[in-house]
């Protein structure tokens, strides 16, 4: 009942999380055909995916301004902007235009992501309870469903333009439900009190590691199954789908666990499981074993990103909360950007198996950051 209650309390941001999940789940399931469509090798494809970073970086500063200017209309407007730009990847005939399409997709996704996380953080403060994991779980549910449906659509012969066009229409209808009242901000206090950059950077780094692991499976699992392990299109789509389903389970479980265990314990145990999962995926001799590895990665890393965002929202002053969560989220988003690109470089040089081994090693940075943050909590917290 804790999960259902959390979803009820945050029902409007939940829809926004599902919008983002629907697009990226479909995108992940179409990576092989999109990559082939622009005739890019692994390294070049990793480079063009860096376009997402340009859009995401801009949201670090633009999203808080956008949020303050539009108030209760910030989420629906961000959703409609997203709907207008989702067709871009399917229309790009070559690497350069695909790069620009990813810039636009990164910007639109980042704006909505920042605003919806800020709304959840406000609700957490208002109700005095954790809500992040339940909302992020619904992203994962939407992501998994979208990936599976996209795999079926690909098997049936539908082209990327047709699939993304359907998603654009769906997002428009979902965006109509996103209007939400916001907490007023004390502008004088916001200008007077120092912005909590150390806290934002530490929590953002934890989120970055979590999103890096997640993005690895999103962007490269389908290709790993189809190319390395010889799977079909539907089998390839099951890679990101398994991630989405296990992350949903992990985040729904995390919603309950955060009310019983420390946030730092969740980070440490989760990243250890994700690291083991990455090693299983790297050594997998068949798609079935790879699914098991991807599932362990999803189940383990699921709660880590939401917990990192919840920590920053709890440790900063109310007047800085939106901007702090926005900037920690954008730092985390860089994991979605760096993972496909770094995986592309490593895969191009050494193969996808070794690339997943590198992810297993990187995942272990999050526990070190969590230990440092816990040891210095009094130093970095603005809330007595």
């Amino acid at each position: 009942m804790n999960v259902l209650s959390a979803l009820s309390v945050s029902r409007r941001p939940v829809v926004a999380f599902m919008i983002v999940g629907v697009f990226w789940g479909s995108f992940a399931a179409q990576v092989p055909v999109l990559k082939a469509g622009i005739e890019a090798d692994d390294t070049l494809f990793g480079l063009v995916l860096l376009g997402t970073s340009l859009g995401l970086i801009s949201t670090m500063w633009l999203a808080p301004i956008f949020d303050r200017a539009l108030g209760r209309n910030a989420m629906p407007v961000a959703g409609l902007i997203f709907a207008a730009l989702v067709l871009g990847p399917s229309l790009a005939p070559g690497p350069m235009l695909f790069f620009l399409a990813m810039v636009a997709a990164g910007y639109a996704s980042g704006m909505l992501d920042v605003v919806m996380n800020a709304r959840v953080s406000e609700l957490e403060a208002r109700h005095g309870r954790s809500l992040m994991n339940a909302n992020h779980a619904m992203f994962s549910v939407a992501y998994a469903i979208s990936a599976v449906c996209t795999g079926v659509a690909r098997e049936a012969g539908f082209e990327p333009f047709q699939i993304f066009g359907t998603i654009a229409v769906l997002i428009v209808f979902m965006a109509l439900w996103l209007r939400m009242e916001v907490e007023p901000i004390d502008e004088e206090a916001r200008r007077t009190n120092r912005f909590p950059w150390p806290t934002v950077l530490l929590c953002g780094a934890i989120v970055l590691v979590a999103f890096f692991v997640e993005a690895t499976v999103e962007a490269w699992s389908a290709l790993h199954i189809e190319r390395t392990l010889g799977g079909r299109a539907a089998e390839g789509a099951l890679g990101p789908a398994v991630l989405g389903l296990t992350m949903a389970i992990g985040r729904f479980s995390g919603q309950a666990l955060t009310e019983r265990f420390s946030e730092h314990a969740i980070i440490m145990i989760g990243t250890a499981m994700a690291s083991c999962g990455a090693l299983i995926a790297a050594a997998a001799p068949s798609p079935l074993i790879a699914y098991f590895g991807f599932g362990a990665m999803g189940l383990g890393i699921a709660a880590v990103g939401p917990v990192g965002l919840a920590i920053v929202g709890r440790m900063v002053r109310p007047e800085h909360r939106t901007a702090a969560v926005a900037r920690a989220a954008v730092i985390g988003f860089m994991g979605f950007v760096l993972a496909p690109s770094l995986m592309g470089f490593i895969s191009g040089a050494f193969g996808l198996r070794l690339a997943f081994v590198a992810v297993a090693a990187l995942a272990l940075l999050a526990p070190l950051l969590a230990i440092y943050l816990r040891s210095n909590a009094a130093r970095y917290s603005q809330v007595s």
Side-chain angles (χ1 to χ4, degrees):
M1 292 303 293
N2 286 337
V3 171
L4 294 178
S5 173
L7 292 176
S8 176
V9 168
S10 54
R11 55 191 175 276
R12 296 194 187 279
V14 161
V15 176
F17 276 86
M18 293 180 70
I19 286 174
V20 179
V22 164
F23 172 76
W24 289 112
S26 180
F27 180 86
Q30 295 185 83
V31 161
V33 67
L34 292 171
K35 179 175 176 292
I38 61 172
E39 300 180 349
D41 59 19
D42 286 0
T43 302
L44 178 58
F45 192 66
L47 280 172
V48 297
L49 289 179
L50 278 173
T52 313
S53 66
L54 297 180
L56 287 173
I57 290 171
S58 69
T59 64
M60 183 180 293
W61 288 274
L62 292 178
I65 298 171
F66 175 88
D67 192 21
R68 290 196 299 272
L70 294 179
R72 65 178 184 172
N73 293 314
M75 275 203 300
V77 172
L80 293 174
I81 292 172
F82 199 2
L85 297 175
V86 298
L87 281 173
S90 65
L91 297 174
M96 181 55 68
L97 289 178
F98 191 87
F99 174 84
L100 295 176
M102 295 313 298
V103 171
Y107 168 80
S109 176
M111 290 292 281
L112 181 57
D113 211 313
V114 165
V115 174
M116 70 193 189
N117 275 292
R119 291 292 85 78
V120 175
S121 186
E122 290 174 6
L123 289 171
E124 287 185 325
R126 185 187 307 165
H127 294 277
R129 59 177 300 190
S130 174
L131 300 169
M132 278 290 181
N133 269 294
N135 280 265
H136 282 258
M138 293 308 296
F139 163 86
S140 300
V141 169
Y143 179 96
I145 293 172
S146 182
V148 170
C149 291
T150 298
V152 172
R154 282 184 59 199
E155 288 277 345
F158 286 91
E159 298 294 326
F161 177 80
Q162 296 169 304
I163 296 172
F164 281 131
T166 302
I167 288 172
V169 174
L170 180 61
I171 290 175
V172 168
F173 282 105
M174 294 173 75
L176 300 178
W177 294 89
L178 298 183
R179 180 177 294 182
M180 176 180 166
E181 296 298 328
V182 300
E183 293 291 334
I185 295 176
D186 186 337
E187 289 293 335
E188 183 177 352
R190 185 180 67 84
R191 290 189 295 266
T192 302
N193 293 320
R194 179 175 53 87
F195 188 78
W197 273 113
T199 304
V200 169
L201 292 173
L202 281 170
C203 293
I206 292 172
V207 178
L208 188 154
V209 172
F211 287 174
F212 187 100
V213 174
E214 181 180 347
T216 296
V217 185
E218 287 183 5
W220 293 94
S221 60
L223 195 63
H224 184 47
I225 289 171
E226 292 182 32
R227 189 180 68 187
T228 309
L229 303 177
R232 296 180 294 105
E235 290 176 312
L238 275 178
V242 166
L243 173 78
L245 288 171
T246 55
M247 289 197 72
I249 294 170
R251 283 170 173 168
F252 282 132
S253 301
Q255 179 63 40
L257 292 174
T258 51
E259 299 180 11
R260 294 174 174 81
F261 299 97
S262 77
E263 295 163 329
H264 300 88
I266 292 172
I267 291 172
M268 296 176 71
I269 295 171
T271 49
M273 182 184 295
S275 182
C276 292
L279 292 176
I280 292 171
S286 67
L288 182 62
I289 301 301
Y291 297 149
F292 183 76
F294 296 146
M297 292 173 75
L299 193 62
I301 211 66
V304 175
V307 164
L309 292 174
I311 291 173
V312 71
R314 176 172 48 79
M315 292 181 70
V316 304
R317 299 179 190 276
E319 62 269 17
H320 288 311
R321 186 175 292 119
T322 297
V325 171
R327 286 164 187 167
V330 171
I331 292 170
F333 295 160
M334 296 308 296
F336 287 109
V337 177
L338 295 174
S341 305
L342 183 59
M343 287 287 284
F345 287 128
I346 298 176
S347 176
F350 305 105
L352 272 171
R353 293 188 186 275
L354 190 57
F356 278 103
V357 172
V359 172
L362 183 74
L364 300 179
L365 290 177
L368 299 178
L369 292 167
I371 292 171
Y372 177 80
L373 185 61
R374 180 175 58 184
S375 301
N376 295 272
R379 175 183 174 188
Y380 292 120
S381 179
Q382 292 184 334
V383 181
S384 59

